Amino acid sequence: MKLDFSGKACPIPVIETKKALLNLDLNEILEIIVDNEAAKENITRLLKNLNQEFENDGFTFKLQKSKINEAKSESKKQEGIFLKSQKVGDGELGAMLLVGFLTAVKERNIQKVVLINDAIFIACDENHPAFNALKTLADDGVEILCCANCLNYFSQSPKIGRSSNAVEIIGTLFDTNMVTL
């Protein structure tokens, strides 16, 4: 089976790849073609999470389906923060509150921060008021996930954390005790 996702935006390549894998017979061959770095990274993470061995030649993946074993999360639910704005509330106060919350949350030993919409600027702009608080969390091992579509929309690249996709973000929101700020 061959899947060509050229010109397809997140999360289509990941969703359709997972569907195809689940419907393939064991040992059947799958070829996946993508045309952008975000899709390449997302497909790579999906295949690794499903314990599929694959070859990657640039933007083309080839694999022979093996038994799918999705990685299971730890028995204790992780904690995290979900941000969909650069501020917590309005104006200058909202920006100050965000810095305060990101600094204070260090005491909770959270594992993940998910950034969507314009919240991605916190991870992309070194001059953002909350950049250093987020960087401190990342330096302490907190995983920072930035929405790939949001990064593309604003033509940004994260300086902290990594690009993620809708499937991974939804999974994280459901599998993690998330607090939305």
Side-chain angles (χ1 to χ4, degrees):
M1 174 184 278
K2 183 176 183 178
L3 302 173
D4 187 348
F5 297 115
S6 300
K8 302 288 184 190
C10 171
I12 300 301
V14 174
I15 291 171
E16 294 301 320
T17 296
K18 187 170 184 179
K19 279 185 199 174
L21 269 172
L22 294 174
N23 290 318
L24 281 179
D25 292 329
L26 199 59
N27 297 319
E28 192 172 347
I29 304 292
L30 177 62
E31 182 178 358
I32 306 159
I33 300 168
V34 296
D35 64 355
N36 63 77
E37 197 63 37
K40 178 181 172 181
E41 291 174 15
N42 293 334
I43 297 291
T44 299
R45 271 194 301 280
L46 172 71
L47 295 176
K48 286 180 179 179
N49 188 49
L50 297 176
N51 295 316
Q52 298 296 301
E53 292 185 23
F54 60 93
E55 296 175 14
N56 182 321
D57 180 21
F59 291 100
T60 302
F61 296 84
K62 292 183 182 177
L63 64 113
Q64 183 174 4
K65 180 182 175 181
S66 59
K67 183 178 176 189
I68 293 179
N69 294 315
E70 290 192 62
K72 298 296 178 191
S73 59
E74 300 169 17
S75 58
K76 182 182 176 195
K77 247 186 172 180
Q78 296 182 336
E79 293 183 339
I81 300 288
F82 178 55
L83 294 170
K84 49 189 176 179
S85 174
Q86 298 182 59
K87 301 176 182 178
V88 178
D90 296 322
E92 188 177 326
L93 175 60
M96 289 174 27
L97 287 173
L98 178 62
V99 173
F101 283 131
L102 288 178
T103 302
V105 79
K106 183 176 179 180
E107 303 303 316
R108 290 291 308 186
N109 191 29
I110 65 168
Q111 290 79 35
K112 297 184 186 246
V113 174
V114 175
L115 306 170
I116 68 164
N117 292 329
D118 72 349
I120 57 106
F121 284 103
I122 303 165
C124 298
D125 180 2
E126 294 174 357
N127 295 315
H128 193 283
F131 181 88
N132 289 331
L134 187 65
K135 184 167 180 359
T136 298
L137 291 171
D139 290 345
D140 288 343
V142 175
E143 186 175 19
I144 312 297
L145 303 175
C146 300
C147 168
N149 275 343
C150 304
L151 291 167
N152 290 337
Y153 181 84
F154 291 114
S155 300
Q156 295 292 311
S157 295
K159 292 179 174 64
I160 304 170
R162 66 175 173 81
S163 172
S164 185
N165 61 69
V167 173
E168 181 181 26
I169 289 173
I170 290 295
T172 298
L173 294 175
F174 277 101
D175 295 341
T176 307
N177 286 330
M178 282 286 181
V179 172
T180 301
L181 295 181

